[in-house]
Amino acid sequence: MGSSKVSVQQTNIAPIACVVLTASLVFVWPVPHTVTLRDLLLLMLFIWSGYLAYSRRALQTAAMVVGIPLSFYLALSAWILIVALFVSSETGWALAEIKGQWLKAGVALISGTLLGAAAAHDARLSRLVLYAVVAALFVHVVYIDMQAIVVLIQEGSLPRHVVGLTDGSDKSSYLTNMLFCILMAEGLMRIHSGARLLPVSNTLLGIAAVVVLSSAYVESMRNGVIENVSVLFLAIVLFVFLRRDRYRALTAFLIASLIVVLFSITIRGDLRWQSFVETLPIALSIENPAWANQSYPQPLLSDGQTVDWSNYSRIARARVGIELVNDYPLGVGFGRNAFGHAVRHKYGYETSHSHSGLIDFAVGAGIPGVILWLAFLGSLWMIGYRGFRRQRTEGLALLFLTTGFGVRMVLDSTLRDHMLQMFLFIALWFATMLGSGKPKKAGVQVRL
């Protein structure tokens, strides 16, 4: 009797530990100065989810469902290591970056996979993990809105570039957009089939969506808006595909109009858009080293004002990045600032990243690395699409997350630090969850 009771307790501890660790990790991940805590939580989650998946004999589920993306990721990891050892002129730096960046990202990926495998045939655990992820993201988003409201009350106007608990509005924007993708998937699938994963009514889901959109507005990240518009565009295509009826044209028009309105508000609220066209030819002429850093005299616009640094540096560094990939097709070595290292080698200038995660990755891992990375993302997208065709909300969420992250990595330097880790963990968790049968509706429903 005693041994049986201990066995039951051990069986119950692992799922509870995984849920608590997931909520804690997702909440702490974007908070600055918490690297040690993040790593500890990630390691603990890796151990517990691994134990849970192994004890439930769920490893085969992971291999069957996400074997293709895992194979691409493994091949990419091997290639990155080969570049560091045999191609890069800075092997020590590249190996240190692999250890500090790529290895941690891999642990996050495997943790999400193991947790998804363990929960794939456990409806209760799968729901609790989803609630943990959504709740942790929602706390961040609500805090962002509260910050904006406090400033509005004190100063009489809404603030811009609100950072929340992160160290920058770009970082807070990633959280808002992740939650946006999940809520969008939930709402679209409810409209189509009535399936639901979140234990809230349609009214509360709508309120949550307003909270998220408000957060996106006060963050004022134009690249974040572009990401959301891309997800909304995909949602329109899928919604029209799902709702093949006489109202589909009107529905598509209304949603498209909403996208135009949101995009127009962002353009009007961000003065950087107004000088973008004039900055373009100036930035494409990279003979002026001002694009490398702001210590050099900056070019002037026709009105005598200096170019907007964000517009100018992004365009110029994108062109430089393309040239660097042509010069170093096998890469210079994986690293967060691979672009800066390559610029120093070729031009002698000191700079950091290119503002584009894809260009940074291409400069570091070379053309083979980019091909493998895009193949990895494409395989995740296809898993999500197949899940969507089976009317699985997790599949639609994975579709939106992968699309949003794919768009954002072109525009911002996201293939690094906690941004990459969070995406890999949540995406692989959704992907592996799709290995289960059709999920049951969420247990507790809150009605208004």
Side-chain angles (χ1 to χ4, degrees), residues 96-408:
E97 286 290 294
I98 292 172
K99 178 183 177 182
Q101 288 287 314
W102 195 252
L103 181 59
K104 287 183 183 179
V107 173
L109 176 147
I110 296 173
S111 297
T113 302
L114 293 173
L115 186 57
H121 298 284
D122 185 338
R124 179 173 178 270
L125 178 59
S126 64
R127 290 198 304 267
L128 291 177
V129 172
L130 176 65
Y131 302 164
V133 172
V134 171
L137 292 174
F138 195 70
V139 169
H140 277 281
V141 170
V142 169
Y143 187 81
I144 292 166
D145 286 341
M146 289 177 61
Q147 273 190 322
I149 292 173
V150 170
V151 174
L152 176 63
I153 294 174
Q154 294 177 345
E155 302 180 6
S157 61
L158 280 173
R160 312 285 285 181
H161 304 295
V162 178
V163 302
L165 295 171
T166 70
D167 60 357
S169 54
D170 56 337
K171 307 299 190 303
S172 61
S173 174
Y174 300 137
L175 307 178
T176 298
N177 290 7
M178 276 189 172
L179 185 55
F180 175 80
C181 289
I182 297 173
L183 296 183
M184 177 67 67
E186 176 78 7
L188 187 62
M189 199 55 70
R190 285 189 185 191
I191 293 173
H192 172 58
S193 64
R196 59 180 66 205
L197 291 178
L198 298 177
V200 296
S201 66
N202 293 337
T203 302
L204 288 179
L205 185 65
I207 293 174
V210 171
V211 171
V212 169
L213 291 175
S214 300
S215 172
Y217 180 78
V218 297
E219 286 160 350
S220 306
M221 293 303 300
R222 55 180 175 178
N223 292 338
V225 173
I226 294 174
E227 177 188 351
N228 283 339
V229 167
S230 302
V231 173
L232 279 169
F233 178 78
L234 177 60
I236 291 174
V237 174
L238 296 178
F239 189 84
V240 172
F241 174 79
L242 290 172
R243 308 289 291 185
R244 297 188 186 93
D245 52 39
R246 59 180 179 173
Y247 300 110
R248 63 180 179 178
L250 176 61
T251 301
F253 174 77
L254 292 175
I255 299 177
S257 299
L258 176 61
I259 291 176
V260 172
V261 169
L262 291 173
F263 195 60
S264 299
I265 291 173
T266 303
I267 292 177
R268 291 185 61 186
D270 194 334
L271 298 178
R272 295 175 298 178
W273 286 105
Q274 301 176 14
S275 62
F276 182 85
V277 175
E278 186 179 352
T279 304
L280 185 60
I282 299 174
L284 290 176
S285 178
I286 59 175
E287 287 74 17
N288 186 341
W291 53 265
N293 60 72
Q294 290 181 285
S295 63
Y296 294 100
Q298 299 296 298
L300 301 178
L301 297 172
S302 58
D303 61 1
Q305 298 293 319
T306 58
V307 293
D308 177 82
W309 171 249
S310 179
N311 286 339
Y312 174 65
S313 62
R314 286 176 181 274
I315 299 169
R317 293 184 188 187
R319 180 186 166 179
V320 171
I322 294 172
E323 293 190 1
L324 291 173
V325 173
N326 183 64
D327 293 337
Y328 307 103
L330 298 182
V332 300
F334 173 82
R336 287 168 294 181
N337 296 323
F339 177 83
H341 284 246
V343 167
R344 188 187 310 118
H345 292 162
K346 181 174 181 178
Y347 299 99
Y349 306 146
E350 292 296 328
T351 189
S352 55
H353 55 76
S354 68
H355 295 291
S356 167
L358 188 61
I359 291 177
D360 291 338
F361 198 83
V363 172
I367 295 174
V370 169
I371 293 174
L372 288 170
W373 173 251
L374 293 179
F376 168 75
L377 288 183
S379 63
L380 284 179
W381 200 94
M382 287 305 301
I383 290 174
Y385 179 72
R386 288 194 294 267
F388 157 71
R389 292 298 300 268
R390 289 159 45 207
Q391 300 187 20
R392 294 289 299 274
T393 305
E394 302 97 321
L396 195 54
L398 179 59
L399 264 181
F400 290 159
L401 282 169
T402 306
T403 299
F405 188 83
V407 170
R408 194 64 175 270

Side-chain angles (χ1 to χ4, degrees), residues 409-426:
M409 76 177 182
V410 177
L411 305 172
D412 282 322
S413 187
T414 59
L415 299 182
R416 56 193 293 162
D417 302 323
H418 71 273
M419 291 91 71
L420 178 59
Q421 295 172 33
M422 289 185 73
F423 168 73
L424 291 177
F425 174 78
I426 296 176

